[in-house]
Amino acid sequence: KYGSALSLVLLDIDIEKESGFDVLSYMNIRRLTDDVPVICVSRTDTNDEWIRHAFEMGVTDNIVYPFDAEEAYRRMSNAIRLYAKQRQLISLITRRMAERDRSTRFLVALAAQVSDFRCGIDSADIFRIGHVTRMLLEYMSENYEGWHFDSRDVALICSMSLLHDLGKIGVR
């Protein structure tokens, strides 16, 4: 219901009504454990195999009951801060990649204009190659099993097709 708006999930893997592993599985299917730290709360007599399995399913930490309140608080705040830093880093990387993509598009456009001026090649033809490449990749992704391209792959391949086409132009 709350998704990544949650700061932290404290999960008792020994709960009666529903297995904590069912909750973890639900969170994993929706990829919630990517954005929300999950701290497992277990009893001292909890099977070690269960704890290992919980970590394999994406649990960030394990607190054993009975626990020291101050230690539990520190573990929770550390997990929240770590995930916040992770989100900041992802945001920074995303912004940098967008800047790089804009710079690449600018350089390709500049090179296409130079080729248009020096070689008499219509720069619009070069950009049509990128458009046709994008259409082909999208068609393949939709119609052929095993051929899936995410938006980053498509953008990269389209840029490379433009650069390849520009590279074939002779320098006088």
Side-chain angles (χ1 to χ4, degrees), residues 9 11 15 18-28 57:
V9 172
L11 179 64
I15 53 181
E18 189 175 353
S19 165
F21 293 112
D22 293 336
V23 175
L24 263 177
S25 180
Y26 175 87
M27 290 181 74
N28 278 326
M57 292 183 74

Side-chain angles (χ1 to χ4, degrees), residues 36 46 63 88 115 134 138 161 168:
V36 180
T46 301
I63 299 174
Q88 288 174 347
S115 69
R134 180 176 304 281
E138 289 170 355
S161 72
K168 293 190 292 185

Side-chain angles (χ1 to χ4, degrees), residues 53-121:
H53 185 57
F55 276 110
E56 288 169 2
M57 292 183 74
V59 164
T60 306
D61 199 356
N62 179 50
I63 299 174
V64 178
Y65 183 82
F67 51 83
D68 176 63
E70 182 63 27
E71 178 186 342
Y73 172 79
R74 291 285 171 218
R75 285 176 180 237
M76 288 184 280
S77 26
N78 286 345
I80 291 169
R81 273 195 320 236
L82 179 66
Y83 272 70
K85 295 285 185 193
Q86 178 180 317
R87 282 189 292 277
Q88 288 174 347
L89 185 58
I90 289 169
S91 175
L92 175 65
I93 290 170
T94 302
R95 282 195 313 272
R96 293 289 166 95
M97 289 171 67
E99 289 171 12
R100 188 199 66 203
D101 290 347
R102 280 191 299 275
S103 296
T104 300
R105 284 192 302 272
F106 172 76
L107 290 173
V108 167
L110 183 62
Q113 287 177 352
V114 168
S115 69
D116 194 5
F117 176 74
R118 288 183 53 93
C119 304
I121 296 173

Side-chain angles (χ1 to χ4, degrees), residues 6 31 64 79-80 130-131 166:
L6 294 172
R31 301 193 53 90
V64 178
I80 291 169
H131 182 69
L166 284 171

